[in-house]
Amino acid sequence: MKLNRLLIPALLLYAGFQAEASRPGEPIQPIAPPQEINLAKSELGKKLYFDPRLSKSGFISCNSCHNLSMGGTDNLKTSIGHGWAQGPINAPTVLNSSLNIAQFWDGRAADLKEQAGGPIANPSEMGFTHELAISTLEGIPGYVREFELVFGSPAVDIDKVTEAIAEFEKTLVTPNSPFDQWLLGDDDALSAKELAGYELFKLSGCIACHNGPAMGGNSFQKMGLVAPYETENAAEGLAGLTGIDADRFKFKVPTLRNVELTYPYFHDGEAETLAEAVDVMGRLQLGRTFSPEETEQIVAYLKSLTGDQPSFALPILPPSTDQTPRPNPFGN
Amino acid sequence: MKLNRLLIPALLLYAGFQAEASRPGEPIQPIAPPQEINLAKSELGKKLYFDPRLSKSGFISCNSCHNLSMGGTDNLKTSIGHGWAQGPINAPTVLNSSLNIAQFWDGRAADLKEQAGGPIANPSEMGFTHELAISTLEGIPGYVREFELVFGSPAVDIDKVTEAIAEFEKTLVTPNSPFDQWLLGDDDALSAKELAGYELFKLSGCIACHNGPAMGGNSFQKMGLVAPYETENAAEGLAGLTGIDADRFKFKVPTLRNVELTYPYFHDGEAETLAEAVDVMGRLQLGRTFSPEETEQIVAYLKSLTGDQPSFALPILPPSTDQTPRPNPFGN
């Protein structure tokens, strides 16, 4: 009892401090730097993320479509996969993806670990199988040693592979954007135009879906709420999983963090510019036509969301040996 | 006259010191660390090297086929290019390529600068044109500023692009291999087996072509000197340039530096393992069949040639803007 009487004010004080650390009452919180990372696991995951030997061709790695030099995307409408296959949907950024409630546009993977296994075995992406990917890694002594170091056993399996990749992806957060500096109290971090854009962003309702630290990634919403969204893209969104017609075009709200870098926009990649994306969102989701000046203000604000990009040495991959299975780029 | 009498002994003393710094009389010299690098130009070149927007698809960069995570190669028999085109020849490593007398297997580019323009405009590689690549870069303000910083003018042209890429490639040397440590005087840097391999490498004549710091790259030699080389690969070597029948299958001798990482081997990528490559070289170039034990010794020695791989932060590329031409991966 006595403890509680001490503890509760202490907790309130702590909560107060937390609120003061960013601006009180704002619906968006700063991106936090990576927390509780298992460094050895993350280093292994980084190598796997960059290793094209996880693909059938030996040519496509996670980084091919979620390129960390380019905002964690490929900046293509839809991606290029095995055999130059045209992907069905725009590759979402891997940056800050650890903050998403689920992975993929339709949320069909619960978390980063579950997501990481998908593209490896997708015939139109990396075109491999988990079994072949594992036997490739088992044939690379440098990896076997590293799996033993990280997991305490040299056995390689898809569970460990995706766990390590997910651990690396947890490090791919982008703190310290101008907007975050402003949120953390630096009044000079945003220009008047950017601040006007932020006010408009809140007042016009963008904030209803793009909130939280990632400014998205935390809910599923229907694309084309007020007016229907027209597209030739076949993706159905949540309906593809649930079979429920009302879920058609319900997609995970994309993060707006680093949105200047993650063009083109929407699940079909049809919006080439931020101005176009803001205009479409205004009309179709909010029933509001932004004036050119308003669009410009919101775009200026959105460009203040680019944070520090992950900085690390390009990983050097352990070489294959005579016993390692070879890639098969052109065969069946 | 007096100066000369002082200078000549001083030069001789210096030459003596140079020889003593590595083992005197060895036909191979250590790889020197990068010298006289224009850092700003090299940093710009690094970005361009990693930028897939120099390709028509927006998907293929220099690093796609000369992957610095994998010994500066793609570890494929022949490369994958635009539209999943199958390349005609094995991608040579970019590591230590500044030491080559000329570039490409047939030496058709005089230097790295001339080489760098080739793949951009090759329809089966990056599939672009120099004009389109330049107009893309001109549409990226971050690049325009950096070209101005480096070259004193914001104008972008293919000459500056290839000059910057070549400057970055000059940094891609790999000093400090165990063999270089031995050359520099550390008797313990090589095992008895590796040393036996080196002796055999010299005595059997491998050294006739694989000499100098890069252990190759400094002459053109006929593939199949003692016995003909059989291959389905159509590459003609020097003959493709000169039209002279005697030049058929004359290729630039590849460097043996980092050869453990640059599999598969030969211009057609047909030798999957070092043991196979050593065996073929012995029989076809030297008229000598190495015993399994000899092959093993030479292979052990060759693996001592892996130096420090270039270590640098993955570059973050300046984003395209609304005005930047977009890639065209699937169109004509």
Side-chain angles (χ1 to χ4, degrees), chain A residues 275-330:
Chain A
E276 188 183 339
V278 167
D279 174 67
V280 171
M281 285 284 103
R283 288 186 293 105
L284 271 52
Q285 304 301 103
L286 303 169
R288 170 168 182 163
T289 302
F290 292 118
S291 73
E293 195 201 350
E294 287 174 326
T295 300
E296 213 177 285
Q297 288 172 337
I298 296 179
V299 168
Y301 164 62
L302 292 175
K303 290 186 178 178
S304 80
L305 300 172
T306 303
D308 290 346
Q309 300 299 293
S311 175
F312 54 84
L314 183 76
I316 303 299
L317 303 178
S320 293
T321 66
D322 297 0
Q323 282 74 46
T324 314
R326 292 299 190 249
N328 181 13
F330 301 108

Side-chain angles (χ1 to χ4, degrees), chain A residues 184-316:
Chain A
L184 289 164
D186 180 356
D187 290 333
D188 299 330
L190 293 189
S191 70
K193 190 182 190 177
E194 290 162 346
L195 270 178
Y198 178 44
E199 285 308 310
L200 199 50
F201 184 88
K202 289 192 284 189
L203 289 172
S204 60
C206 312
I207 195 76
C209 298
H210 294 285
N211 53 44
M215 306 183 59
N218 52 357
S219 71
F220 291 81
Q221 303 290 344
K222 192 178 178 72
M223 176 74 165
L225 207 56
V226 178
Y229 183 65
E230 312 277 356
T231 180
E232 290 175 12
N233 187 291
E236 290 284 310
L238 264 189
L241 279 75
T242 62
I244 299 170
D245 197 52
D247 287 341
R248 186 163 176 273
F249 275 14
K250 269 197 191 163
F251 293 101
K252 191 181 61 192
V253 176
T255 175
L256 293 184
R257 293 291 185 172
N258 310 292
V259 72
E260 183 184 7
L261 310 179
T262 61
Y263 55 90
Y265 306 107
F266 303 153
H267 70 279
D268 55 3
E270 282 294 338
E272 290 209 344
T273 69
L274 271 178
E276 188 183 339
V278 167
D279 174 67
V280 171
M281 285 284 103
R283 288 186 293 105
L284 271 52
Q285 304 301 103
L286 303 169
R288 170 168 182 163
T289 302
F290 292 118
S291 73
E293 195 201 350
E294 287 174 326
T295 300
E296 213 177 285
Q297 288 172 337
I298 296 179
V299 168
Y301 164 62
L302 292 175
K303 290 186 178 178
S304 80
L305 300 172
T306 303
D308 290 346
Q309 300 299 293
S311 175
F312 54 84
L314 183 76
I316 303 299

Side-chain angles (χ1 to χ4, degrees), chain B residues 257-328:
Chain B
R257 293 291 184 171
N258 310 291
V259 72
E260 183 184 8
L261 310 179
T262 62
Y263 54 88
Y265 306 107
F266 304 153
H267 70 279
D268 55 4
E270 281 295 338
E272 289 208 345
T273 69
L274 271 178
E276 187 183 340
V278 167
D279 174 66
V280 171
M281 285 284 103
R283 287 187 294 104
L284 270 52
Q285 304 301 102
L286 304 169
R288 169 168 182 162
T289 303
F290 292 117
S291 72
E293 195 202 351
E294 288 174 324
T295 301
E296 214 177 286
Q297 288 171 338
I298 297 178
V299 168
Y301 164 61
L302 293 175
K303 290 184 179 178
S304 81
L305 301 172
T306 303
D308 290 346
Q309 300 299 293
S311 174
F312 54 84
L314 183 77
I316 303 300
L317 304 179
S320 293
T321 66
D322 298 0
Q323 282 75 47
T324 314
R326 292 299 191 247
N328 182 12

Side-chain angles (χ1 to χ4, degrees), chain A residues 99 145 202 329:
Chain A
L99 303 175
R145 281 193 298 274
K202 289 192 284 189

